[in-house]
Amino acid sequence: MRSKIIAANWKMNKDEYESKKLTFEILKHLNKNNNTSINKILCVPFPFLSTIINMCSGIEGLFVGAQNCSSNIDGPYTGEVSCLMLKSLSVRYTIVGHSERRDLFGESESLILEKIKRLVAENMIPIYCCGESLEERNKGFHIKKVLNQIEDSIFKLSTKEVKNVIIAYEPIWAIGTGKTADLEDIQEIHLAIRKGIRSKFGRSISKNISILYGGSINALNAKQIFDLSDVDGGLVGGASLNSQDFIDIVNSFN
């Protein structure tokens, strides 16, 4: 059965005090109404992982994740953070392949694949991001682009490995812009991804893999997006930096 997931990506925002304050506010909301059927994942900056993990300890359905990891196990890689380091902090989820990592840091699909393999080898769960540019969408290449990304990464996993992956479709042109893809377009590409997974790994895998939408999700549009048959939740950016907005998004899920 596909998991319902709302993942918050705080990106490079908030200092320690602000991060604790935001987490405390989220916890207050959850104390009043915590729908444990929805997995809520707070993907926070590296320096605050331990603090936020301790704050969220024991809250059912609430997890803390990382925003990235190294493709290396250990060694002379100054500034990098390995999946083993994250695992030692009880981090289970990690975002990989975000468009900002691809665009700003030049991450290739082969590098992203290495990260995914490292994570699943440690029984951790990658949140794999894929998506197209506005130019690619305008030219009608959006589905081909996304499926090519998946073929160069997810399709190179074994059946056992892919069971531990969450896919997040994020049209690059909708991230942080306030623009959201049309509902028909969101469903179309989520269905195309699921069909691609089915053709490679079979019906059982495709029925059980969670596919999230990311791209200017907010409390006003979340319910319509989550009601789409092949959308299993969201990867939330800017709206996750406000506790009420984030909880409203979570509560918009049936």
Side-chain angles (χ1 to χ4, degrees):
M1 184 176 177
R2 283 145 46 188
S3 298
K4 296 180 177 180
I5 300 165
I6 306 294
N9 180 11
W10 291 3
K11 305 189 180 184
M12 197 177 74
N13 292 293
K14 306 291 184 184
D15 61 18
E16 182 184 26
Y17 171 78
E18 292 168 335
S19 296
K20 290 195 292 186
K21 183 174 183 289
L22 175 56
T23 304
F24 178 74
E25 291 171 350
I26 291 172
L27 292 174
K28 280 203 306 182
H29 290 298
L30 291 179
N31 283 337
K32 296 176 183 177
N33 180 24
N34 182 13
N35 185 343
T36 57
S37 68
I38 300 170
N39 289 337
K40 299 157 286 287
I41 308 167
L42 305 181
C43 295
V44 309
F46 287 137
F48 311 134
L49 281 170
S50 289
T51 298
I52 306 305
I53 287 169
N54 288 335
M55 291 181 70
C56 296
S57 177
I59 308 299
E60 188 176 359
L62 181 63
F63 305 89
V64 179
Q67 299 174 14
N68 188 34
C69 72
S70 174
S71 61
N72 298 291
I73 297 176
D74 54 25
Y77 305 104
T78 301
E80 290 289 277
V81 176
S82 74
C83 63
L84 291 178
M85 293 174 179
L86 297 175
K87 186 178 181 180
S88 72
L89 297 175
S90 299
V91 172
R92 189 180 182 196
Y93 298 89
T94 301
I95 298 172
V96 292
H98 192 281
S99 61
E100 291 159 1
R101 298 297 311 177
R102 296 172 187 265
D103 184 38
L104 301 176
F105 299 94
E107 293 193 1
S108 65
E109 214 64 54
S110 60
L111 176 65
I112 294 164
L113 175 60
E114 289 179 31
K115 294 182 180 187
I116 294 172
K117 283 184 167 289
R118 292 285 186 212
L119 289 164
V120 297
E122 298 300 329
N123 293 315
M124 298 171 70
I125 300 176
I127 302 174
Y128 167 79
C129 300
C130 55
E132 82 286 354
S133 68
L134 183 58
E135 180 182 6
E136 288 163 335
R137 172 165 283 276
N138 288 339
K139 290 182 177 180
F141 296 158
H142 51 293
I143 292 179
K144 181 178 180 181
K145 170 62 180 289
V146 170
L147 292 181
N148 283 344
Q149 288 177 323
I150 292 173
E151 288 171 4
D152 289 339
S153 54
I154 301 299
F155 280 14
K156 295 186 178 181
L157 299 174
S158 68
T159 300
K160 181 179 179 181
E161 289 173 325
V162 80
K163 289 179 179 179
N164 287 331
V165 175
I166 296 166
I167 297 175
Y169 164 65
E170 292 194 303
I172 298 169
W173 50 272
I175 298 174
T177 64
K179 299 178 181 178
T180 307
D182 292 338
L183 294 175
E184 295 80 4
D185 293 332
I186 295 173
Q187 170 58 21
E188 176 190 38
I189 203 155
H190 277 71
L191 178 59
I193 293 170
R194 200 172 300 283
K195 285 182 175 179
I197 296 295
R198 184 174 64 194
S199 69
K200 176 65 178 179
F201 297 104
R203 183 176 297 274
S204 177
I205 297 291
S206 70
K207 284 176 61 178
N208 288 287
I209 195 166
S210 294
I211 306 176
L212 315 181
Y213 173 76
S216 296
I217 294 179
N218 57 54
L220 297 177
N221 61 28
K223 186 180 188 319
Q224 289 180 306
I225 294 172
F226 298 156
D227 281 346
L228 298 172
S229 59
D230 285 289
V231 176
D232 304 305
L235 180 57
V236 186
S240 71
L241 298 174
N242 179 286
S243 63
Q244 186 64 64
D245 289 346
F246 180 67
I247 291 300
D248 285 346
I249 291 170
V250 171
N251 290 339
S252 68
F253 222 147
N254 293 326

